[in-house]
Amino acid sequence: MSRLITVLQAPNAAYTVSSTAIVCQNDSTYFTVTNQAAGLNYLWTFPGNIYRTTPVTTFGFNKADTNYNVALRVTSSSNGCFAINNKIFPSYAKP
């Protein structure tokens, strides 16, 4: 017996940042989803259990000499498929 299996495409979890990948202490950075579309749900996860659900958001890097992990999960509301994009942002003291 054979069965037809349909593989659904996961959404793209790409995003851009308003600063370079290196940030300084007390900098606030904008994060923007690059594939904003109807039917997609966004979940940003920032350090300190901070969550946001908008396609554009900001986060302040409070500490120097710290690696901050930022994750974006994009979920399709029509089929439940999702993608996750994790990036690490090192934070340095201002000169």
Side-chain angles (χ1 to χ4, degrees), residues 75-93:
T75 304
S76 170
S77 59
S78 65
N79 61 28
C81 292
F82 66 91
I84 298 173
N85 185 351
N86 289 302
K87 291 183 184 177
I88 294 178
F89 295 86
S91 177
Y92 300 96

Side-chain angles (χ1 to χ4, degrees), residues 20-24 61 63-68 88-92:
T20 63
I22 298 173
V23 296
C24 289
F61 296 90
K63 295 181 183 177
D65 302 320
T66 302
N67 288 328
Y68 285 89
I88 294 178
F89 295 86
S91 177
Y92 300 96

Side-chain angles (χ1 to χ4, degrees), residues 9 12-13 16 18 21 24-25 28-29 33-34 42 45 54-55 65-66 70 72-73 75 77 90:
Q9 183 175 359
N12 183 353
T16 60
S18 62
C24 289
Q25 181 180 9
S28 185
T29 300
V33 174
T34 58
Y42 311 102
T45 303
T54 57
D65 302 320
T66 302
V70 175
L72 170 64
R73 178 182 171 132
T75 304
S77 59

Side-chain angles (χ1 to χ4, degrees), residues 28-49:
S28 185
T29 300
Y30 282 90
F31 295 83
T32 305
V33 174
T34 58
N35 66 322
Q36 298 175 39
L40 296 178
N41 298 309
Y42 311 102
L43 177 62
W44 296 97
T45 303
F46 295 98
N49 296 319

